[in-house]
Amino acid sequence: MHPGLFIVLEGIDGTGKSTQARRLGEWFEKQGREVMISREPTDGPWGKKLRESAATGRLSPQDELQYFLNDRRQHVEEKIAPALAAGKVVILDRYYFSTMAYQGARGFDPAEIRRMNEAFAPVPDLLLILDLDVDTAHDRIGHRGDSTNEFEKHESLTLCREIFLSLKDEPFVRVIDSNAPLDEVSERIRAAVEG
Ligand code: TYD
């Protein structure tokens, strides 16, 4: 247990997580709360390797999973746990639910990934899943689904979305329909947080 407030935003690429994380942070700051916003993969050594691999060729599934776990372990130890212990509002743009979804889509068992993470990573107080259908999300980040590669990506993002949505009935989870203007989505998020 900790005196802080731990909120995680998840969703497939193009759902607006980073913008909404920033806005939510500003909203808490206006109320006089101390806020720490962070993201995964992080800017630390493991996160850097992961971002580089997106450009230079994807890692093996096993290495990729291991790097995400290493990155998160460091993130928890060095940033998340101290901020929560200091009573801050911690807002994350992606966390281990992304590992369940994305590495789950690469063939690992999401339930097993969850167990591996919850062995060291604190469960958030609130998980907001920004939900959008894959085509709309894809259009927002400027991709067109017409090559074989894009087709595979579409398949894999569909599976990611399903894995995220499989969490919807857990008590700490709220699904936010993100097929709306930014301001409207921010409103929905604040309503979920106040609830
Ligand atoms: P993303 O938030 O899209 O980073 P950027 O702001 O640099 O675009 O994250 C990069 C990718 O990493 C994204 O496609 C999801 C993926 N990812 C995983 O596969 N597993 C994980 O555990 C995390 C945190 C992210």
Side-chain angles (χ1 to χ4, degrees):
M1 292 315 281
H2 55 77
L5 182 61
F6 189 13
I7 300 176
V8 172
L9 277 78
E10 291 278 14
I12 57 173
D13 316 75
T15 49
K17 291 180 304 305
S18 6
T19 305
Q20 295 299 344
R22 200 181 57 242
R23 287 180 166 205
L24 185 61
E26 289 164 0
W27 184 71
F28 274 111
E29 274 167 354
K30 279 200 196 112
Q31 298 170 45
R33 298 287 303 252
E34 258 199 276
V35 175
M36 183 190 86
I37 298 179
S38 193
R39 63 168 186 173
E40 293 189 0
T42 69
D43 297 320
W46 295 104
K48 282 209 183 96
K49 282 192 228 280
L50 281 157
R51 285 178 198 282
E52 278 162 19
S53 80
T56 57
R58 212 165 168 185
L59 297 160
S60 73
Q62 194 59 56
D63 281 352
E64 187 181 68
L65 174 62
Q66 195 55 54
Y67 285 23
F68 275 114
L69 289 168
N70 294 350
D71 187 41
R72 183 161 306 122
R73 198 180 288 278
Q74 202 164 21
H75 198 199
V76 168
E77 280 172 14
E78 294 176 6
K79 290 194 169 168
I80 299 171
L84 290 174
K88 292 184 189 174
V89 178
V90 173
I91 300 172
L92 294 191
D93 174 355
R94 296 194 185 282
Y95 195 38
Y96 63 84
F97 311 97
S98 276
T99 320
M100 292 172 64
Y102 287 82
Q103 280 60 57
R106 257 194 126 174
F108 292 97
D109 173 17
E112 175 60 20
I113 293 178
R114 185 176 190 172
R115 277 193 292 277
M116 293 166 82
N117 278 278
E118 287 180 352
F120 69 89
V123 178
D125 298 303
L126 180 63
L127 167 60
L128 299 165
I129 297 172
L130 273 56
D131 185 53
L132 202 54
D133 71 82
V134 173
D135 288 326
T136 311
H138 231 65
D139 286 349
R140 280 200 190 170
I141 49 181
H143 287 289
R144 308 199 43 192
D146 47 11
S147 66
T148 314
N149 182 33
E150 288 294 324
F151 177 75
E152 278 171 18
K153 223 187 209 161
H154 189 283
E155 296 271 280
S156 126
L157 285 175
T158 300
L159 188 48
C160 285
R161 183 186 183 205
E162 279 168 14
I163 297 171
F164 281 133
L165 290 178
S166 73
L167 294 159
K168 71 177 170 31
D169 293 325
E170 308 237 0
F172 66 103
V173 177
R174 297 291 177 274
V175 176
I176 307 291
D177 177 0
S178 302
N179 195 8
L182 275 182
D183 288 346
E184 175 63 32
V185 177
S186 301
E187 276 304 317
R188 290 177 189 173
I189 287 176
R190 283 198 284 267
V193 169
E194 281 175 327

